[in-house]
Amino acid sequence: MRKLMPAMWLLVCILSVHMGLYAQNPTETNQELFDEFTYRQGSIYRTASGKPGPAYWQNGANYVLEAEIDEDAHVLKGKVTITYINNSPEDLPFVWLHLEQNRFTPDSRGTLTTPIQGNRYNGDIDGGYTIRNVSAQVSKRNSRVSNRYRITDTRMQVVMDEPIPAKGGQAVISMDFEFKIPQKGMDRMGRLSVKDGTIYALAQWYPKVAVFDDVVGWNIEPYLGAGEFYLGYGDFEYKVTVPYDHIVVGSGELLNPKDVLTKEQQERMSLAARSDTTVYIVRPDEVKDTQKSRPKQEGKLTWHFRIQNSRDVAFASSKAFIWDAAKIDLPSGKKAMAQSAYPIESDGQEAWGRSTEYSKASIEHYSKRWYEYPYPVAVNVASDINGMEYPGLNFCSYKSKGESLWGVTDHEFGHNWFPMIVGTNERRYAWMDEGFNTFINHYSSLEFNDGEYGSNLNQTRRYLNWFSNPAREGIDTYPDVANTSNLGMIAYMKPAIGLLMLREYILEPERFDYAFKSYIDAWAYKHPQPNDFFNLMENVSGENLSWFWKSWFYGTENIDLGIENVVPYGGNFVVMLANKGGVPMPVLMEITYSDDSTERVKLPVEIWQRGNQWNYLHRTDKQVTKVVLDPDKVLPDINLGNDSWPNLIYE
């Protein structure tokens, strides 16, 4: 061992005098925080680099749907024909489907697990499906037709007479269905009475195939409440028959405008397709004037829609709709159309009169920044739903105005990227769609109209009361198990703050954006798991982030970086740092000198691998007068009192 030089002895003596020094204990280590926290090796299905593997597969389902609304009884009757494609490596003797309208019965699991006092996910209990004429048949010569099925709560198992062959085998499943449209549909669908009629917001309205994947096989968790949806991709063609005086808007392209629009409305639609500003298709003064707003004056009309490579469809129908639209410009040069449908109660430039402006701006931002919007329309519908997303269509509160309407519109359209394009499992991993979407909403809101409404996501210390609450839960908590008072933080805010820290503090924007866009590109229209996201972000950014995933996404620990002291040493200075929280972080500090000049220094997270104290030697010939950690206040550090030296609180 080399002998300590005199200067080093001097340093030891100086530091020993100052009680802020912590001698490094060679047995003390944080290495476990930096080790792999879960099994993340690759396979032929999902690579270690975070991409779909060479043998990745997913099954598909194409739908042909018919629906008719009985306005007097508030009943929807329909028929579905599903062509199911089994791309998996095993034969399938049955297919599981979701029957989510069965949530609205008195003995459903969702009803029986709702607290007496209720919550956001209250639902009517006088509904549920009536299923008839079930038919299932493998698509090959001389195959037998099966009508065997079992219904368990919100799931339906259709049993084939012979298995659907692996690696490309197909089957056709069809049935008739009907249900009473709930008034309260768990804040995701339902009906609303307004001055000029009833608004029907129709989602979860047809039997749909559950996902069969390489991770757990059939994903058949029941529909309870907080857990949303996990669906495969396919093409949808659907017809909706309604009273003649209704306007219908839906996911995808309207295929028969000549049948359901007046000639003037067709011209207005054509004008809107070329207009950067909002164009009325149905004006406020035309809502009750069917001579102007409807091509016929009695009976029924059938509206015909199509959307491709989608995971779901939703629609809305009402005779109370004002309807307007404008052009969406996409980076490739393609065009789409923003549309809004809302009642007279919601009209006005301080309210839904700006909905289409908001919708257009939102879609254009995300298309330019992350991935191009794939659908022909983006429809915002005013309803008695606080905010819910479907491919190409939102339901938002008819009472929303101004900043709140921008916020909910932008958030729900952001969901077209997570989970509509990147097809995550919302029922298990709410944070992979709600959290990711809340994160991208931050940048959209900062950009919209030069920051008209702005965003407070970067004000992370607003949430310190929750981070210090003993009742807090981890991001990984199952949505239907989580305390509803925690859900907003663990599904939305905490994962969004995590991505914000990753972009603005840990990796910095250029590296993060390249990795995040690579994730979207790799998993567009596919089904990533959490490990796929972790692996891809690490491989593309070139950073081992196990410590971050483990401590922020899979735990309830907090960030608490501190300065214990700053002491001089031979014209230089030693900054004594401590990590008092369970979440290690790189250390960014701003150093101020006696001449009021400043300098920023960033230390890597690896300083905490050997323990929770670190002494940084800052070489300078200037006098240090102040040191501040996290000068931009990006981190939700729970202890504001030790972030600076001298020991002052900086907000």
Side-chain angles (χ1 to χ4, degrees):
M1 176 181 285
R2 294 174 58 190
K3 297 176 65 174
L4 288 175
M5 300 297 291
M8 289 300 295
W9 279 114
L10 177 61
L11 174 61
V12 170
C13 293
I14 292 173
L15 296 179
S16 299
V17 169
H18 292 81
M19 299 306 294
L21 172 65
Y22 290 88
Q24 184 67 48
N25 184 342
T27 63
E28 180 184 1
T29 177
N30 285 330
Q31 183 56 43
E32 70 278 1
L33 283 173
F34 293 82
D35 292 337
E36 296 295 338
F37 67 98
T38 184
Y39 184 79
R40 294 202 282 156
Q41 291 185 3
S43 71
I44 60 172
Y45 304 123
R46 297 166 188 271
T47 68
S49 65
K51 296 180 179 179
Y56 176 83
W57 57 267
Q58 63 189 43
N59 292 350
N62 298 320
Y63 294 79
V64 176
L65 291 151
E66 297 176 7
E68 182 171 347
I69 294 176
D70 181 338
E71 191 174 29
D72 295 327
H74 302 307
V75 167
L76 184 146
K77 297 182 180 180
K79 178 179 177 64
V80 59
T81 300
I82 306 167
T83 301
Y84 185 68
I85 304 100
N86 177 23
N87 295 316
S88 81
E90 60 183 285
D91 296 347
L92 297 179
F94 54 81
V95 174
W96 279 102
L97 285 79
H98 294 294
L99 299 182
E100 284 145 350
Q101 285 300 315
N102 281 354
R103 165 64 176 79
F104 305 109
T105 61
D107 58 351
S108 73
R109 294 189 187 189
T111 299
L112 296 176
T113 55
T114 298
I116 294 173
Q117 69 271 21
N119 55 35
R120 174 184 172 182
Y121 307 106
N122 293 339
D124 292 354
I125 58 173
D126 60 348
Y129 275 117
T130 299
I131 301 289
R132 301 185 182 93
N133 302 322
V134 176
S135 172
Q137 184 177 22
V138 173
S139 300
K140 68 178 185 178
R141 183 175 296 181
N142 300 323
S143 63
R144 298 181 300 274
V145 176
S146 170
N147 57 11
R148 291 186 293 154
Y149 65 92
R150 304 179 186 93
I151 293 177
T152 304
D153 193 49
T154 58
R155 288 80 51 83
M156 177 181 187
Q157 185 182 45
V158 176
V159 181
M160 313 299 296
D161 263 11
E162 52 187 307
I164 308 171
K167 299 182 179 180
Q170 297 189 16
V172 176
I173 302 169
S174 64
M175 67 193 74
D176 299 328
F177 60 90
E178 68 176 84
F179 61 89
K180 182 179 179 182
I181 302 168
Q183 181 176 356
K184 295 294 183 182
M186 296 175 63
D187 207 20
R188 295 198 174 108
M189 54 87 62
R191 52 187 163 91
L192 168 68
S193 294
V194 293
K195 177 182 177 183
D196 295 326
T198 299
I199 295 174
Y200 294 95
L202 274 303
Q204 293 83 58
W205 59 276
Y206 60 95
K208 61 190 71 171
V209 176
V211 172
F212 182 75
D213 64 23
D214 62 290
V215 181
V216 299
W218 287 106
N219 289 261
I220 50 173
E221 289 81 7
Y223 183 38
L224 299 178
E228 294 187 10
F229 311 105
Y230 184 34
L231 301 167
Y233 291 91
D235 298 336
F236 293 77
E237 193 163 329
Y238 63 106
K239 296 179 179 179
V240 181
T241 300
V242 295
Y244 74 94
D245 52 358
H246 277 223
I247 295 293
V248 179
V249 291
S251 301
E253 177 187 6
L254 177 63
L255 298 180
N256 63 335
K258 293 182 179 179
D259 297 334
V260 295
L261 303 181
T262 67
K263 184 176 180 181
E264 184 173 3
Q265 287 168 348
Q266 294 173 52
E267 292 172 351
R268 292 175 181 176
M269 186 77 80
S270 177
L271 176 60
R274 306 186 305 273
S275 175
D276 286 319
T277 57
T278 302
V279 174
Y280 281 116
I281 301 170
V282 176
R283 299 173 57 87
D285 60 353
E286 296 172 339
V287 171
K288 294 191 291 184
D289 187 351
T290 59
Q291 294 291 332
K292 292 183 178 180
S293 65
R294 303 286 67 239
K296 59 184 291 187
Q297 302 302 306
E298 61 181 1
K300 300 175 181 179
L301 284 171
T302 297
W303 298 64
H304 188 184
F305 296 89
R306 178 178 60 206
I307 189 169
Q308 296 175 303
N309 205 15
S310 178
R311 50 183 265 164
D312 199 2
V313 288
F315 69 92
S317 181
S318 182
K319 62 183 179 182
F321 278 151
I322 301 167
W323 189 15
D324 63 37
K327 168 174 61 77
I328 295 171
D329 293 308
L330 299 174
S332 67
K334 294 180 180 178
K335 310 296 179 185
M337 183 180 290
Q339 299 180 8
S340 299
Y342 50 96
I344 195 70
E345 291 93 327
S346 305
D347 193 20
Q349 280 302 297
E350 76 287 354
W352 277 77
R354 293 188 70 185
S355 167
T356 291
E357 174 195 353
Y358 296 159
S359 304
K360 170 182 168 67
S362 181
I363 298 293
E364 289 180 346
H365 170 87
Y366 299 127
S367 295
K368 180 179 178 181
R369 185 158 194 156
W370 304 116
Y371 191 94
E372 184 161 299
Y373 183 71
Y375 303 122
V377 298
V379 188
N380 206 22
V381 180
S383 61
D384 194 20
I385 297 165
N386 286 314
M388 188 61 202
E389 74 282 353
Y390 300 94
L393 183 142
N394 303 332
F395 298 133
C396 296
S397 174
Y398 75 108
K399 296 179 180 179
S400 290
K401 297 181 178 181
E403 183 174 4
S404 69
L405 180 58
W406 158 259
V408 68
T409 299
D410 182 54
H411 179 80
E412 305 311 335
F413 276 129
H415 274 304
N416 280 277
W417 282 261
F418 307 101
M420 305 308 168
I421 293 173
V422 180
T424 50
N425 185 344
E426 302 174 89
R427 198 157 289 179
R428 283 177 177 247
Y429 309 114
W431 60 272
M432 291 187 76
D433 69 291
E434 297 295 359
F436 287 26
N437 185 28
T438 301
F439 167 72
I440 66 173
N441 297 158
H442 170 67
Y443 298 97
S444 177
S445 293
L446 291 178
E447 181 178 280
F448 174 66
N449 206 17
D450 295 324
E452 179 177 356
Y453 299 125
S455 170
N456 59 23
L457 179 66
N458 56 350
Q459 298 173 24
T460 61
R461 299 191 179 194
R462 293 163 52 102
Y463 307 101
L464 292 189
N465 285 341
W466 184 87
F467 283 114
S468 302
N469 188 336
R472 67 189 182 275
E473 296 171 289
I475 289 173
D476 58 317
T477 307
Y478 196 85
D480 284 316
V481 174
N483 188 315
T484 53
S485 65
N486 284 329
L487 194 61
M489 284 298 299
I490 65 176
Y492 295 74
M493 299 308 299
K494 188 178 179 184
I497 290 171
L499 294 188
L500 183 80
M501 292 190 296
L502 198 58
R503 183 180 193 270
E504 305 295 345
Y505 189 90
I506 299 170
L507 295 179
E508 299 177 347
E510 184 177 358
R511 272 207 295 168
F512 176 91
D513 288 356
Y514 182 54
F516 198 58
K517 286 191 282 189
S518 297
Y519 168 70
I520 298 172
D521 288 341
W523 289 100
Y525 312 107
K526 297 181 178 67
H527 298 307
Q529 299 291 312
N531 284 349
D532 299 316
F533 173 69
F534 300 150
N535 285 348
L536 191 142
M537 291 298 291
E538 290 188 5
N539 276 268
V540 178
S541 69
E543 201 72 42
N544 184 343
L545 298 165
S546 289
W547 57 273
F548 182 58
W549 313 131
K550 182 187 297 187
S551 61
W552 190 258
F553 288 86
Y554 288 84
T556 58
E557 297 289 346
N558 282 311
I559 300 168
D560 183 7
L561 301 178
I563 303 175
E564 296 296 323
N565 209 344
V566 177
V567 297
Y569 166 59
N572 298 314
F573 288 84
V574 174
V575 182
M576 303 176 191
L577 300 166
N579 175 34
K580 297 187 175 183
V583 182
M585 277 284 159
V587 176
L588 177 64
M589 54 185 132
E590 185 171 85
I591 299 171
T592 302
Y593 300 108
S594 57
D595 61 2
D596 292 329
S597 64
T598 62
E599 179 182 358
R600 289 192 173 191
V601 175
K602 189 172 185 179
L603 305 181
V605 71
E606 285 82 2
I607 64 174
W608 306 122
Q609 279 184 285
R610 299 175 181 84
N612 289 322
Q613 290 80 40
W614 187 257
N615 298 318
Y616 164 65
L617 177 62
H618 184 64
R619 295 177 173 84
T620 180
D621 57 3
K622 295 184 178 182
Q623 179 70 30
V624 174
T625 59
K626 183 194 302 183
V627 181
V628 177
L629 301 185
D630 183 23
D632 300 320
K633 300 296 177 278
V634 175
L635 306 180
D637 191 305
I638 61 168
N639 186 355
L640 307 183
N642 64 1
D643 289 355
S644 59
W645 175 88
N647 192 11
L648 299 172
I649 296 177
Y650 292 89
E651 297 183 352

